Amino acid sequence: GLWNARRWVAALAIPYAFWVPVNEVLFWFLHTDQRPTVGFIAFYLLVSLGGSIGTALYLAWNRARLS
């Protein structure tokens, strides 16, 4: 997929980029045992969103190079 620059990966990366924040917020909201600190949540969201949205944007900008 991504490593071989296949065109179908872009169609998966864009919905995944939206699913990441929804999934994380739902997990932290429903996880009632020990809630993580706000600093951890902010750092984790920054890293995970940077990876998922960054990959989707990279694939969108380089759509012509995908096979």
Side-chain angles (χ1 to χ4, degrees):
L2 179 61
W3 305 118
N4 296 325
R6 301 286 183 213
R7 186 172 300 277
W8 57 266
V9 175
L12 293 177
I14 294 168
Y16 179 74
F18 287 101
W19 170 247
V20 169
V22 171
N23 187 32
E24 289 175 355
V25 169
L26 284 174
F27 175 77
W28 288 322
F29 180 73
L30 298 174
H31 187 77
T32 58
D33 292 340
Q34 274 188 319
R35 294 191 183 238
T37 64
V38 174
F40 175 78
I41 291 172
F43 175 75
Y44 195 85
L45 278 172
L46 179 71
V47 171
S48 64
L49 292 176
S52 63
I53 293 174
T55 301
L57 289 174
Y58 175 80
L59 290 171
W61 286 332
N62 294 295
R63 189 175 297 267
R65 293 178 36 194
L66 301 176
S67 59

